[in-house]
Amino acid sequence: MAKKDDLKVKTDDQLATQLSELKREQFNLRFQAATNQLEKPSRVREVRRTIARIKTLQTARTSDAAKA
């Protein structure tokens, strides 16, 4: 799971790339869950929370840039 400090040091492009990879993984995990092939159910929660962390960080950076 990506920690908040690890995400803070990444650039906006790196965050966007990681976000798209996580969304793709989330999509695949949903299919695995639907077909009962999910090996690690806790991974769904980790991916969802990491996506939320990235989106929160992107929003904060956008609002900081708008204020400056």
Side-chain angles (χ1 to χ4, degrees), residues 2-62:
K3 298 292 181 182
K4 187 177 178 183
D5 296 333
D6 296 338
L7 295 174
K8 278 188 175 182
V9 298
K10 292 190 176 190
T11 64
D12 292 337
D13 292 335
Q14 290 173 332
L15 286 176
T17 302
Q18 186 176 2
L19 182 63
S20 66
E21 290 171 1
L22 286 170
K23 284 188 175 189
R24 188 175 302 116
E25 182 179 356
Q26 184 183 34
F27 180 78
N28 291 331
L29 288 171
R30 280 200 313 257
F31 266 93
Q32 288 176 7
T35 58
N36 293 324
Q37 296 177 348
L38 195 57
E39 295 178 12
K40 193 173 178 185
S42 62
R43 183 68 184 146
V44 175
R45 184 178 185 183
E46 290 175 13
V47 169
R48 188 177 68 235
R49 289 184 176 193
T50 305
I51 288 172
R53 282 188 184 99
I54 291 173
K55 285 186 173 184
T56 302
L57 188 58
Q58 286 177 333
T59 303
R61 286 184 181 180
T62 303

